[in-house]
Amino acid sequence: MTPGRHTPDPREARTPAEFLARLQALKDRSGLTYRELSVRAEARGDVLPRSTVANMLARATLPREELLTAFVRACGATPDELAEWRTVRTELAGRGAYGTADADQDGDTDPDADPAETAGPPPAWPGHEAAAVAVAAPQGGPGTPSRTPPATSRIRRALVAAVAVAGLVLAGFSVVALLRDGGTGRAGRPPGTPAAVAPAVGDVRIRVTGTDFCLAERRATRTGQVHQVPCAEPDFPRYSLATVGTGRWRIVSDHPDFGPGCSGIPSGGRIPDSAYEDSECGDPSRVEAFALEPYGTPEGAVRGYRIVPVGSATPGTCVTVVGDREAAWAKLAQAPCAPDAAGQLFSFERRD
């Protein structure tokens, strides 16, 4: 587990719900995905299906002792820490006031269940707002003498006003053009890169707008972490879009080794910089619904679409390319939505 951070103490739990909350905190502290936990458990000879872990953490009933043991060991707990977890579980179960989850914790969550319907931030046109601010900005300058001949004063004021108006108009057009183009050329993209494509149901390739990078996982890994990679690389995995309610989308992955899954944010988005990763669909502890919001100006073309987690515990966030945005294999994570949407705009190109 990550050194230097407080280890959740099961002895502070007074109810099964509090016990499960500390188990969730233990997973969050480990920094491991469900896929990684399952692999670590298997390496120790334990059985820990990913869907079972997700179901366990979504309930408020005590897990079976063998499931608790496999989970806590996979999170990296020491033998003494594991003994504390098992002791507290036994004490809570012995009180008789709360049930345990012995009967149904191996059941899978319905993958077609609707995610949270909490609305994300409304579509915004930051470029338009910035242009309006620039046009409205006051013009400072030295004051004119208090005594001038009336005719000369009127002519001078008229000339100053005309020059000021012309300057403001040109500045406004310049700001709008700059924001529309993103400082990279026409339509906000380097020469030769495609224009942004609106989301639609079906198979897609997700491009980082204005670049030659597309979203993918790294081969021969089990983390599910999504990266930006050269679009010339083969799709790994293949992505598609599905609707899950008005204005809500699910980004579905088809992994050659792990099968169908969904892109999402782990732990309900409670960690501000949570990884954007692929895992099983229907995990109640993940954010798997997104608003795909257009970004641009009303007067010009849409520059791209933000992927906004719906119902994240950290509001005002967008899926973002973090680190070196010009480098292949830069990771994607949840991060605050930026006014300039840097590293946060995507295009959903159709696939045959």
Side-chain angles (χ1 to χ4, degrees), residues 73-111:
R73 279 160 53 97
C75 286
T78 65
D80 289 342
E81 291 171 338
L82 173 59
E84 290 180 355
W85 285 98
R86 296 176 63 169
T87 298
V88 173
R89 181 209 173 274
T90 300
E91 292 175 352
L92 290 174
R95 295 177 185 175
Y98 308 99
T100 61
D102 292 342
D104 61 56
Q105 276 187 332
D106 288 328
D108 291 335
T109 302
D110 181 5

Side-chain angles (χ1 to χ4, degrees), residues 176-270:
V176 171
L178 178 62
L179 289 169
R180 183 182 302 168
D181 295 344
T184 57
R186 184 175 179 80
R189 61 187 187 277
T193 56
V197 180
V201 173
D203 293 340
V204 295
R205 170 175 287 178
I206 306 175
R207 180 186 293 269
V208 182
T209 303
T211 75
D212 289 321
F213 292 127
C214 293
L215 304 193
E217 293 183 41
R218 189 184 291 274
R219 292 181 181 272
T221 63
R222 297 172 177 267
T223 66
Q225 170 71 58
V226 178
H227 304 259
Q228 66 173 15
V229 304
C231 294
E233 295 284 334
D235 291 349
F236 188 87
R238 295 172 67 96
Y239 289 108
S240 61
L241 295 179
T243 56
V244 289
T246 305
R248 304 289 181 267
W249 298 84
R250 178 174 286 171
I251 302 174
V252 181
S253 61
D254 185 6
H255 195 285
D257 298 326
F258 302 110
C262 287
S263 300
I265 307 294
S267 303
R270 288 192 295 273

